[in-house]
Amino acid sequence: MAKGTKDETGDGKVGEKKQKTIVFLHPDLGIGGAERLVVDAAVGLQKRGCKVVIFTSHCDPGHCFDEARDGTLDVRVRGNTVIPPSILGRFSILCAILRQIHLILSITLLTSELSMINPSGFFIDQLSAGVPLLSLLRPQTPIFFYCHFPDLLLVQNRNSSLFKRLYRIPFDALEQWSMGFATSTAVNSNFTKSVVAKTWPGYPADQLKIVYPCINTSLPSSSSSDEETQPIKWGQSEKSIILSINRFERKKNIALAIQAFALLPAPARQKSKLVVAGGYDARVHENVSYHADLVSLCEKLGLKSATVKTVVSALNSSIEDVEVLFLLSVPNALKEILLKSAKLLVYTPREEHFGIVPLEAMLRGVMERVVERMGEGELREMGEEGKKRVRENFAETEMARQLEGVFEEIEGVDAKGAGALGLVLVVMAGITGAIGVGIGLWLVRTPAVKL
């Protein structure tokens, strides 16, 4: 029996309760929005007295959130020695599924690591392919799956070729089917819930829970924060910062921010600087290629740009006359300074299922600075209302409370045993993987075909 722990929840309730052990499985613990949610959920559950272990196929100490590398969280990298993240920059979904299966097998059959942890429940997100296998191997442990958004809707250039359409068929079917083996499933918003219902009419979307992602709301008050945080200043100029924070992915539509900036009258551009900051991983082909495309776009539009990778370089006065500044893999401290310094935050993704960045901006009152025609009292009231909404609905403590409630609800409920179907799935996944790799190796030798 797990030992009793004090419940330090942040909601005023302290008492003795049975300690839960929650095991997280996440594909790649980098610095994206999904990773931020996983880290915040893990930290929040720890604060509520749970023991937390995160298993992932990849976590680079130089490219992850602070809590994943400073000892706050128990992060273990497994299942990363056989299958690469991609094959020549392609077939990422196939490789991700095989790596997840490898991770699960590594901690269940190949070692006794998971048995020694003896989890009370699993938290799996982003990739549901391994859920049936895990339910087969650990039928007594409930599985909670968090669906950020249907992966099949995030695929770009799906109709670019017949080969890609055929390639995606088994993965699209596997996504919906495998989610059904989770004991409980949640999405990040009412919007995503409606999309799931529309995308998979046969899926019981009415049973989906809604657990909002969170942000760190433990910030100092606006006035004291403004005094303590010095805004960024390049050289002697007082340029207004127009800020975009997104991963370097095409679906984030960062090009729109650059195009809009280029349309500003020349005098307005001279007084402003567009700062494009976000997650960047040199291992991810799309990050590299999209950044290169954005730099080329700046050249095409006649905008002077520069790319920096360190805080020291970012604050260098030599980039004073740069119009578009790309900041790769921004650390939290610099992001805080940017949010406090920005006059305007631009958020460009179309039909984004949930955006953490607007919440961060609301919490810090950034948007109020651009509404010049409103009175000081109205500005303050709008800013405070934004902060209040974030703290009430999107605080770390609120998400952790909801998650703990979910695990209490499914405690003692066996995973939806895969039985014979699970065994068939494992065999089919192996065959599909082998065929996929075979086809992939053939296709990569054909330059005209791109998946």
Side-chain angles (χ1 to χ4, degrees):
M1 179 179 292
K3 62 181 181 180
T5 59
K6 285 190 176 182
D7 181 13
E8 298 178 358
T9 63
D11 56 12
K13 297 179 181 180
V14 179
E16 293 293 324
K17 64 176 184 176
K18 180 181 177 181
Q19 184 185 46
K20 295 182 180 64
T21 300
I22 308 300
V23 167
F24 284 66
L25 272 67
H26 184 79
D28 185 337
L29 202 61
I31 56 174
E35 290 70 43
R36 185 67 259 174
L37 180 141
V38 167
V39 169
D40 288 338
V43 171
L45 286 171
Q46 277 192 170
K47 290 181 177 179
R48 295 188 71 88
C50 298
K51 177 182 177 182
V52 173
V53 178
I54 299 179
F55 285 104
T56 180
S57 297
H58 179 81
C59 184
D60 180 358
H63 187 76
C64 65
F65 291 110
D66 295 340
E67 299 91 335
R69 61 168 170 252
D70 64 7
T72 301
L73 295 172
D74 182 356
V75 178
R76 308 182 189 185
V77 178
R78 303 289 187 269
N80 62 327
T81 58
V82 177
I83 308 297
S86 63
I87 302 174
L88 299 180
R90 308 178 189 188
F91 309 107
S92 298
I93 182 63
L94 171 63
C95 292
I97 290 174
L98 294 177
R99 283 163 70 87
Q100 186 181 61
I101 291 175
H102 181 202
L103 187 158
I104 292 172
L105 294 176
S106 296
I107 62 177
T108 53
L109 297 183
L110 302 182
T111 70
S112 59
E113 188 170 13
L114 194 61
S115 296
M116 294 178 66
I117 295 172
N118 191 26
S120 311
F122 293 106
F123 181 114
I124 302 179
D125 76 307
Q126 209 166 44
L127 192 61
S128 61
V131 173
L133 175 61
L134 189 60
S135 70
L136 174 67
L137 297 174
R138 296 281 303 189
Q140 77 280 17
T141 309
I143 300 173
F144 171 71
F145 182 74
Y146 193 93
C147 175
H148 300 276
F149 203 68
D151 182 70
L152 67 89
L153 298 180
L154 298 176
V155 180
Q156 298 184 29
N157 301 318
R158 171 187 291 275
N159 298 318
S160 60
S161 69
L162 174 62
F163 288 105
K164 184 158 188 176
R165 290 197 296 274
L166 294 175
Y167 169 76
R168 284 294 314 189
I169 289 175
F171 303 118
D172 294 345
L174 178 62
E175 180 181 14
Q176 176 187 358
W177 187 76
S178 59
M179 277 178 58
F181 283 90
T183 314
S184 180
T185 302
V187 291
N188 57 19
S189 64
N190 279 301
F191 172 71
T192 299
K193 184 175 181 177
S194 67
V195 170
V196 169
K198 196 177 303 181
T199 304
W200 298 315
Y203 189 86
D206 59 315
Q207 298 178 18
L208 291 174
K209 302 180 186 299
I210 297 175
V211 178
Y212 291 126
C214 71
I215 61 174
N216 181 11
T217 57
S218 57
L219 296 171
S221 64
S222 179
S223 57
S224 62
S225 179
D226 287 336
E227 293 173 359
E228 296 171 6
T229 304
Q230 296 298 320
I232 291 180
K233 181 179 180 181
W234 284 279
Q236 301 300 315
S237 62
E238 292 285 351
K239 290 194 174 184
S240 298
I241 295 178
I242 300 176
L243 179 62
S244 169
I245 301 181
N246 278 298
R247 292 192 305 278
F248 284 88
E249 297 176 355
R250 288 179 174 81
K251 67 182 180 183
K252 299 301 184 179
N253 202 19
I254 301 172
L256 178 62
I258 297 174
Q259 292 164 342
F261 183 77
L263 292 175
L264 287 175
R269 282 208 314 272
Q270 291 172 2
K271 298 177 182 178
S272 307
K273 185 187 296 290
L274 175 61
V275 178
V276 179
Y280 179 92
D281 189 339
R283 300 177 307 116
V284 180
H285 176 72
E286 184 182 16
N287 288 177
V288 177
S289 62
Y290 191 44
H291 169 250
D293 290 346
L294 294 175
V295 172
S296 298
L297 177 62
C298 289
E299 294 176 356
K300 180 180 178 181
L301 296 174
L303 300 173
K304 184 176 180 180
S305 69
T307 299
V308 298
K309 300 180 180 180
T310 66
V311 176
V312 175
S313 300
L315 301 178
N316 196 320
S317 60
S318 65
I319 58 176
E320 177 182 357
D321 61 339
V322 169
E323 295 174 283
V324 180
L325 180 63
F326 295 102
L327 301 179
L328 309 184
S329 298
V330 182
N332 285 337
L334 180 56
K335 184 177 74 171
E336 292 294 331
I337 296 174
L338 288 170
L339 284 165
K340 293 301 298 184
S341 303
K343 186 171 186 180
L344 174 66
L345 176 81
V346 291
Y347 197 65
T348 51
R350 288 189 60 189
E351 299 183 346
E352 181 82 341
H353 44 95
F354 196 94
I356 286 292
V357 174
L359 293 183
E360 293 176 326
M362 287 170 64
L363 182 64
R364 293 156 182 83
V366 171
M367 300 304 289
E368 67 186 45
R369 304 181 187 182
V370 300
V371 191
E372 298 178 353
R373 288 178 291 180
M374 292 179 67
E376 188 64 30
E378 291 178 285
L379 286 173
R380 189 178 299 108
E381 181 181 356
M382 184 179 72
E384 290 304 318
E385 285 297 318
K387 296 174 188 177
K388 179 182 177 183
R389 175 167 169 75
V390 171
R391 289 193 170 102
E392 288 180 352
N393 297 282
F394 307 103
E396 180 188 80
T397 53
E398 175 61 19
M399 182 176 72
R401 184 190 64 79
Q402 290 186 58
L403 288 176
E404 186 180 41
V406 171
F407 282 110
E408 287 179 350
E409 180 182 315
I410 62 178
E411 186 175 11
V413 179
D414 290 349
K416 297 180 180 179
L421 285 176
L423 183 59
V424 171
L425 171 67
V426 175
V427 175
M428 290 181 60
I431 295 175
T432 302
I435 294 174
V437 171
I439 294 176
L441 293 175
W442 173 73
L443 290 177
V444 294
R445 295 191 299 177
T446 309
V449 179
K450 295 183 178 180
L451 295 182

